[in-house]
Amino acid sequence: MKYKIILLNLLILFLFGCSNKEVETITTPNIKINVIKNNIEYNEKINLSDLIRLPDNYKYEDFKIDTLSLGTKEIKFNYVDEEENKHTFKFEINIKDTTKPMILHRTTYTYEKGTDVNLLDKIICGDNYDDYLQCNIKGKYDTNKVGTYKLYFTAEDSSGNLTESPFNLVIKDKIEQSTPYTPKTITLSEFNNKYINNTTNELAIDVSTWQGDIDYDALTESGIKNILIRIGFSTTDNRIIMDNRFERNIKLAHEHGLNVGLYFYSKAHDLEQSIKEADWIIDNLNNEKLELPIYFDWECWDDFNSFHISYVKLNLIAENFMNRLIQKGYSSGLYGSASYLEKIWDLNEYNIWLAHYTEKTDYQNKYNIWQQTASGIVPGIEGNVDLNIIKK
């Protein structure tokens, strides 16, 4: 009997002790979490929700996965089960580079016999990951011998991805001089009649020191309402220089009631420089209100190979610039030609200013402004000026 009472007391103590004990967080719960993808491409834009599947009644906070380093990476996140208990789950992903280098070049290069040819200076040769990429020419040719040589530009990155891109080198005895192409000018009224419908789009011009001292009275009387002004530019040695007509242009544009945006012609080739350029713009604007975005204009493709930056890093340079301006309350965007927007730039979540000199653009991604011609004739400006279509 004595032993039965002792056992009963122990049972009661055990039951009440367990009922008052706090619930313990389990870091490796026995539930099914499906990791549906763990091989990731370098710089792949991907979120946690793209990698896992949890039961519908489990909650977690989604976040962007950093894929800017190669190798194994641990992913750790918290979630809450249907009983509101918090748990932690960890898994690994493998970030790899399987993207081949990209070489941009013409299909045919033609030279006179005896010409000193350096074809590698005529191309853009880059990789998504490697900043330093060695490009070569595969095949034999003799610039002192007339003929057509079928050759390849080649490049191999540090992950072993190889690109071989064919082209023709044509050597002739003599090349006839061609007449330089002169684009046909278009007047403001012709452009408006052809491209502008005030219910869906508006006209804008973009100007810099090259347009001289603009007559803003004549400009506004012609019906122009939007203007994009170059604030400045940078050099390959990272100096920043203000456009010598910027202060006049922005003062008179706002005095005449124009909607004003800006652009900066950048030669930045490192991340710190793009931040420096954005901060320079912020300082010089001194809280000036803008109605249109500030665009990052990077066009120094002739210098790309010597800059030794990857295509991903170039995109990060532009992204740094735009994000810095956005953090300070300005709208920002990217200027680029259709070809480079399609092949190199990967920033479609930002405002895009498309340059495409054609009757009807076939550019497939979204854009906010289309620069249709550099040969516009506008009252108040001597010489040609760029004409743009702003999409409402």
Side-chain angles (χ1 to χ4, degrees), residues 15 26 47 65 84 88 102 122 179 187 197 200-201 207-209 253 257 259 265 281 293 296 308 322 356:
L15 290 173
I26 304 171
N47 292 332
I65 304 296
E84 299 300 319
T88 299
M102 181 168 59
K122 308 298 181 182
T179 304
T187 66
N197 179 336
T200 58
N201 49 51
V207 301
S208 68
T209 188
N259 297 316
Y265 187 93
I281 292 171
F296 182 76
H308 300 298
M322 294 185 289
H356 198 188

Side-chain angles (χ1 to χ4, degrees), residues 80-94:
V80 178
D81 64 23
E82 72 274 17
E83 296 179 355
E84 299 300 319
N85 297 318
K86 294 182 179 180
H87 307 286
T88 299
F89 185 75
K90 296 183 291 185
F91 65 100
E92 290 185 344
I93 60 173
N94 185 31

